[in-house]
Amino acid sequence: MIDLKEGVDLTADLRGRLERVQAEMRRQNVGGLVVYYRGQHNMLRMDQVFYLTDFRSLGQTVLLVPREGPARLIVTPAWDVERAREAAGVSDVRGVEPNDLVRTVVESARELPGPLALSGFEIMPVGTAAKFADALNAALPDGGKIIPSVAATRTPAELERIGHASAIADEGFRVLCETARVGMREYELAAEVEAAMQAAGAEDNFGLIAAGNHNVAIRPPSERRLEAGDVIIGEITPMYRGYLAQLCRTFILGEPTAVQKEKYDMLIAALQRGSAVAKPGIPSADIARAVNEVIGGAGYAEYCRQPYMRTRGHSLGLGAVVPNDLNEDTGPILETNMTMVIHPNQYLPETGYMMLGDTVVIEADGPRALTRSPIRLFWKSE
Amino acid sequence: MQTQHQVLKRGGLYWDRDLVPREVFDERFRAVQSALAASGDDAWLIYGDAQGYGDVAFVSHFLPRLRSVLILVVKDAPPTLLANVGLRDIPASKTLTWFEDLRPFSRLPQEAVKLVRERGLEKAKLGLVGTRQALPIAEWDAIGSALPGVTWNTRDEAFRKLRMQKDAAELAAIARAAEAAQTGLQTAAHVLRVGTTVRRASALVDKAMRLCAAEDIRILIASGPQCGIALRPPDDRRLEAGDAVMLFIAVEVQRHWAETAQTYVLGTPSPELRAIASKAAGAVDAMQNGLRPHTAVTLLAGAAEKALGDPALLQSARSYGFGHGIGLDQEEPPPIERTSFETVAASTAFALHVVVHRDGLGAASGRTVAVRGNGAEALTQASVLIELPDNTNGEV
């Protein structure tokens, strides 16, 4: 069983996050920030309410942040309010029914110092936005970048949780290798992996497991039964207390061919080259360039683009969004304590789609892998 | 009931054509075309996402597993579906729907505007379905400003009427989801044991339902002292002898949802727990007994409230609600509430639930029912209170 004891002072960690956000608000001359979250959790999107409260909502939620002093959390549905009060990041919590959310938020927002800004335009539904506009009698400016601008790197509490999520991902892949067998349906294999990770502490999972003798891309598990020789690709992404880690690996149900081994070795070299450049002060785009140099250099330059691959890695929401996708054309400068998955996942005409990737944290000397599954092609003969 | 949305629908994702045959969609699409013609619009745009995809799935069977979808229905022409997936995902996406024109997008406004222009609809009358509830305002502003010549009409109500009466395929699929939910309840009776954690027991319940080809699963649970407070997502609390456990399950199979709820106790229940569990189950029975086509929904809520009686129980039950329609959306209209002016459709399905808390105790009872003919048929079965062993020697 994975030991998931937490050793960091979460309350102090959350207080530090709020203080950094409030300093940024003062710098941008924002008196009060209204942070809207719809409750539609997404691996590639930051949950800004969660980041400041440690509360992962059921329904629509709004956090009201003054430029100094404590924040107020308004949650729906009302019956979930006690769970929100248990969260370490906020003490002023109110529960309301969904129909009362806008009215309650607008009344509370009047207590905030001005000028106000709103975060959440990119997720707020048309109908909710219309209610806010009517109630406020004004359109608020977009404050959606204030919190992400001070949340590019992970705090000690966040790193600890991402480490736990990584250990759970390793456990999930171990169970995949152990339980995969000919005749099993893809969704049955996914269920085994899911259950093992939930039992180990996972509360959610961006999990994709697919199989075939020539995969085009990763996809959700279907009703297809596993066959001898199948290449099983897994994007295993458990969440532990709001933080995701991702492990990408490839498993063959039978003996791999020489070509499969050779091409997978190329992906390993690409991962190693990409990891070697992932240091503080370096553009994140350099990771993608390094990966593509290896794969392109092996004669697959034309495959280093969609639809043969999507990206060479990415950050993982809910609490983290920087550096976003790892592509050659754009990206921030890497900083110590940024976390991301680096994955040279690739379609190749000889093998189909194969996957390899690890969650890493950027440290002074380079990236430290948080997922620990061996970096190799896995297989078993029945 | 409100549950916690997941980052991905990650269960078995495919189209079971025996359960939901292709011909079903011919009939539904003809109905949509007729409603479109009757509205006077030139075309309809139907929007959905992973949180609310019922309108989209009704006409296409497509399921957005993490992001959004937009469908364009034009008079006398095949429909087009824009899916927020990559180009490489299109082959797998096409296996989920009968639509032939399936296009990927990364930015909805650009692709939606391009599609409208491609069909020569820049100055047309376009109906909108599902946008108010789910389309982000930033995307709507971009679409609206790029198409100044379009006259927009909200058609949520017209589309709702199309879905109000469920066809045989939809009821069959809800029944399949109900079977998975029932499996979850039965599994819980085997795995809720002293010494195990709620998270570990929930993992086994979840797995049992995934093995029934569930696409998405939501579990809310309360145990021990939590039963006096509220349901919540599974946590790491370790079960103790004498604990009550309130379990609520929502499960999606082939795009269709079912819900159920049950109270368990690890040992012998106190008279007080037995009393409130009996009240909760009785209130659900009262709703089911009154559930017939054309019945006023307010009467169902009234029957539940009368069965509960006690003010404290009423207060908590009202907070959770007494239930709602269910099908391609986990929560469909009409909500069962005293203020409702709606009536029950002739062929439909409801999720009935009563969750109560009083004096540090709690109980949950719920079931999914199909309304057909002259009455309601329970698709899931729950007991008033299931007594489980209060030692660790049970089957885990």
Side-chain angles (χ1 to χ4, degrees), chain A residues 135-318:
Chain A
L136 288 164
N137 202 23
L140 295 183
D142 187 358
K145 290 191 167 58
I146 292 174
I147 296 175
S149 71
V150 299
T153 59
R154 310 275 56 83
T155 65
E158 291 178 293
L159 285 173
E160 191 171 73
R161 290 180 175 186
I162 295 168
H164 287 331
S166 299
I168 294 169
D170 288 328
E171 171 68 4
F173 184 64
R174 186 191 69 74
V175 169
L176 184 153
C177 297
E178 190 176 279
T179 57
R181 57 177 168 74
V182 171
M184 187 180 215
R185 293 189 188 278
E186 287 177 8
Y187 69 71
E188 292 172 342
L189 177 59
E192 297 288 351
V193 173
E194 176 79 23
M197 294 200 299
Q198 284 188 19
E203 60 198 24
D204 205 342
N205 171 26
F206 190 93
L208 297 168
I209 292 175
N213 57 18
H214 193 89
N215 295 300
V216 174
I218 187 65
R219 56 172 170 73
S222 73
E223 82 282 30
R224 180 183 176 278
R225 291 189 186 278
L226 302 183
E227 298 175 6
D230 267 359
V231 177
I232 302 172
I233 46 179
E235 184 169 309
I236 298 168
T237 319
M239 173 188 290
Y240 177 74
R241 300 198 176 180
Y243 287 85
L244 294 147
Q246 186 167 95
L247 175 74
C248 299
R249 288 292 188 270
T250 302
F251 177 89
I252 296 178
L253 209 46
E255 288 285 331
T257 65
V259 171
Q260 286 171 329
K261 287 180 180 173
E262 175 199 335
K263 301 306 176 191
Y264 206 77
D265 284 346
M266 178 185 70
L267 297 192
I268 292 171
L271 177 62
Q272 290 169 339
R273 187 80 66 85
S275 298
V277 302
K279 294 180 178 175
I282 301 296
S284 67
D286 280 7
I287 299 173
R289 289 192 193 99
V291 168
N292 290 342
E293 276 173 15
V294 172
I295 297 173
Y300 297 104
E302 65 177 304
Y303 292 92
C304 293
R305 61 180 173 83
Q306 294 201 39
Y308 308 110
M309 45 76 70
R310 192 185 78 78
T311 176
R312 292 314 183 190
H314 51 81
S315 50
L316 296 155
L318 305 167

Side-chain angles (χ1 to χ4, degrees), chain B residues 286-308:
Chain B
M287 286 192 281
Q288 185 182 332
N289 292 339
L291 195 49
R292 291 182 181 81
H294 316 302
T295 300
V297 169
T298 183
L299 296 178
L300 304 178
E305 292 190 354
K306 186 178 176 188
L308 284 173

Side-chain angles (χ1 to χ4, degrees), chain A residues 38-41 56-58 79 86 121-122 124-127 192 194 198 204-205 220-221 223 307 353, chain B residues 2 4-7 10 13-14 49 51 65 88 132-133 135-137 199 203 206-207 230 232 320:
Chain A
R38 190 182 159 203
Q40 186 176 21
H41 305 301
R56 190 167 170 241
S57 70
L58 299 184
W79 56 261
E86 293 168 12
F121 282 111
E122 77 283 6
M124 184 182 286
V126 169
E192 297 288 351
E194 176 79 23
Q198 284 188 19
D204 205 342
N205 171 26
E223 82 282 30
Y353 198 73
Chain B
Q2 177 75 56
Q4 191 162 55
H5 182 259
Q6 305 283 287
V7 294
R10 54 190 180 272
L13 188 56
Y14 59 100
D49 61 20
Q51 215 168 355
R65 58 194 164 85
R88 65 181 187 162
R132 280 189 67 80
Q133 300 87 333
L135 179 65
I137 183 67
R199 190 180 303 285
D206 180 283
K207 175 182 166 182
R232 57 180 56 210
Y320 290 94

